[in-house]
Amino acid sequence: TTTVSTQVTTEAPVSEEDEEGGELSNNILIYKKRAISLYGGNFEKGEAYAKSLNKYKEQLGENINVYSLVAPTPCSFYTPDDFKKMIGSETANIQHINENLVNVTPVDAYSALLPHTDENIYMRTDHHWSAMGAFYAAEEFAATARVPFAPITEYDKVVREGYVGTMYGYSGDITLKN
């Protein structure tokens, strides 16, 4: 059996203020008791990433498969409408990266995560995936690469208590700490 660590948080009731918009705290968006880093990537950085992968593929040769799995952040799924004008489009950037790949296979983590946004696929106080989000992305990679992957029922649930996450560290926002 493989062990997956999951983050369990007890959530305070969401206030009406949280429902309506959210607030910025040291450049971190706090919305529905969730920390969201506002995405600011661009096509130029994506092209540099694709160029690097293309070079690896070229150097490794035709007998080695190279994959690109660009990890979408929580802002792609949880940014309220009032703040969307402040972010770039991760999906547009991912598509642009994929269009610039040569003999590198893209893995669509965004589409794998999208149906699961009501689950804890990202930690509420961190910018990283939870184990559940990582599972869905890894499952998509395995399907794309046509390699075996154990179903969720084969994993043990492990809970780590007291984790506050990097976004609390960046923002110092008491809402996240609580």
Side-chain angles (χ1 to χ4, degrees):
T1 331
T2 305
T3 300
V4 174
S5 174
T6 59
Q7 176 64 33
V8 175
T9 56
T10 54
E11 297 180 29
V14 177
S15 70
E16 284 185 33
E17 179 178 272
D18 286 333
E19 288 290 340
E20 291 177 8
E23 65 178 345
L24 287 176
S25 179
N26 291 331
N27 295 318
I28 304 297
L29 173 61
I30 311 299
Y31 177 64
K32 293 186 178 183
K33 310 292 190 260
R34 174 185 300 281
I36 303 171
S37 179
L38 300 177
Y39 178 72
N42 59 51
F43 283 2
E44 184 178 303
K45 290 178 183 174
E47 290 165 5
Y49 166 79
K51 184 177 179 181
S52 293
L53 284 184
N54 293 340
K55 187 172 183 175
Y56 282 126
K57 174 61 182 167
E58 183 181 322
Q59 291 174 350
L60 291 169
E62 64 184 53
N63 295 327
I64 303 294
N65 297 322
V66 176
Y67 298 88
S68 170
L69 187 154
V70 179
T73 69
C75 93
S76 281
F77 305 106
Y78 303 112
T79 302
D81 290 339
D82 293 350
F83 289 85
K84 286 188 178 175
K85 63 184 175 291
M86 298 175 69
I87 63 173
S89 171
E90 284 186 316
T91 55
N93 273 347
I94 292 168
Q95 181 180 356
H96 187 71
I97 288 168
N98 293 345
E99 291 167 355
N100 281 276
L101 296 174
V102 178
N103 298 319
V104 173
T105 305
V107 178
D108 188 1
Y110 178 87
S111 293
L113 292 170
L114 186 60
H116 301 284
T117 57
D118 59 340
E119 299 174 43
N120 289 322
I121 57 173
Y122 290 95
M123 295 191 221
R124 297 181 73 76
T125 61
D126 201 306
H127 62 284
H128 296 98
W129 287 331
S130 67
M132 196 79 248
F135 172 83
Y136 292 127
E139 185 178 52
E140 183 63 25
F141 166 77
T144 302
R146 297 183 182 149
V147 296
F149 192 73
I152 194 72
T153 55
E154 296 293 317
Y155 296 86
D156 293 326
K157 182 176 181 177
V158 176
V159 177
R160 181 176 172 199
E161 299 292 339
Y163 181 78
V164 289
T166 57
M167 298 303 266
Y168 167 71
Y170 295 153
S171 70
D173 190 282
I174 195 68
T175 301
L176 296 179
K177 185 175 183 184
N178 291 337

